Amino acid sequence: MAAGYLNNVWLQDPKGYLVASGYHWLHGIHPHVQWYDDIWNVWGVPKHALIGWLIKHEALNTMMKLKQIGICSTDQCLLCENGQETHEHLFVQCDYSQRVLQYVTLWLQDTGNQGSSIVKTRIRRVAMLACWYLIWLERNRCRHELMLARPEKIGKEVQMLVRQRIQHFIQKPVGNNDNNWLVQIGTNVI
């Protein structure tokens, strides 16, 4: 890298020097991962996105990781007590998490079958991140306070968070199909 800097390689862009070309020269160009838009989207809550990003990178301190480094004596899932707590288990296979996701999925179902739209896609992304965030929060609450709320309660918290995001982002009328769906899921917009 130092040789490239000393030889002015970063200035060899045909358009002249651009900050973007200097940045790309320094850091390189990374491929766009498939899940990027699901995590880092305009409607998302930043702390939810951070947890989503950590999940995708399997970087949360699950019970399996804590046992491996000697902090815990068990790696059992704290939410369902039925399996080793890994990222895959906690956010996909865990009975507790599945019940939360099922509650939210049923709520967001489009009974009118009008297909997907940008609004619906964004709302579903916000809901998924909120589910993951609240499942992780509940898992930590269970670990540190020895308390566990019912999955339906977590599902209702997801609904509340998603409705707040909808109210914040939808400031103008949407198409009839989206509007009908928003009414169906109990969101009063415009």
Side-chain angles (χ1 to χ4, degrees):
M1 204 173 321
Y5 178 77
L6 293 174
N7 295 327
N8 294 327
V9 173
W10 57 283
L11 287 173
Q12 294 176 4
D13 193 305
K15 298 176 191 171
Y17 176 73
L18 299 171
V19 172
S21 61
Y23 178 85
H24 290 305
W25 172 81
L26 186 60
H27 291 283
I29 298 174
H30 302 286
H32 186 79
V33 290
Q34 203 172 31
W35 49 262
Y36 180 89
D37 294 328
D38 293 336
I39 304 294
W40 304 111
N41 63 75
V42 171
W43 288 25
V45 177
K47 62 185 177 181
H48 297 181
L50 177 62
I51 292 298
W53 184 79
L54 290 170
I55 291 167
K56 289 296 184 178
H57 287 283
E58 296 188 4
L60 294 173
N61 285 327
T62 60
M63 294 300 289
M64 182 195 76
K65 285 188 176 184
L66 294 175
K67 183 179 180 189
Q68 285 175 344
I69 59 176
I71 292 176
C72 294
S73 60
T74 181
D75 61 2
Q76 187 176 29
C77 177
L78 297 170
L79 299 179
C80 71
E81 299 178 339
N82 190 21
Q84 183 184 48
E85 188 185 272
T86 63
H87 287 83
E88 176 76 17
H89 174 81
L90 189 57
F91 298 102
V92 178
Q93 300 165 345
C94 174
D95 294 337
Y96 183 92
S97 298
Q98 285 181 355
R99 288 175 54 200
V100 171
L101 293 169
Q102 184 178 39
Y103 185 92
V104 174
T105 301
L106 287 172
W107 171 61
L108 292 176
Q109 240 177 359
D110 187 359
T111 57
N113 270 341
Q114 298 298 325
S116 195
S117 69
I118 291 172
V119 170
K120 291 176 187 175
T121 299
R122 287 180 175 168
I123 291 170
R124 287 185 176 115
R125 286 175 176 165
V126 168
M128 176 57 77
L129 288 173
C131 282
W132 287 348
Y133 176 79
L134 290 173
I135 287 168
W136 183 246
L137 229 58
E138 194 60 25
R139 177 263 187 206
N140 287 331
R141 188 169 158 242
C142 182
R143 181 164 188 260
H144 299 292
E145 299 174 22
L146 304 176
M147 298 174 69
L148 182 62
R150 292 188 6 240
E152 296 77 19
K153 181 180 183 292
I154 304 304
K156 288 179 182 179
E157 287 182 47
V158 170
Q159 286 179 339
M160 182 192 68
L161 289 169
V162 171
R163 286 183 178 126
Q164 288 173 351
R165 297 309 279 179
I166 291 169
Q167 294 293 333
H168 179 76
F169 281 99
I170 298 183
Q171 302 295 324
K172 58 184 179 179
V174 294
N176 280 342
N177 292 337
D178 286 335
N179 194 48
N180 291 340
W181 183 67
L182 290 169
V183 169
Q184 175 190 315
I185 63 172
T187 306
N188 299 325
V189 292
I190 311 277

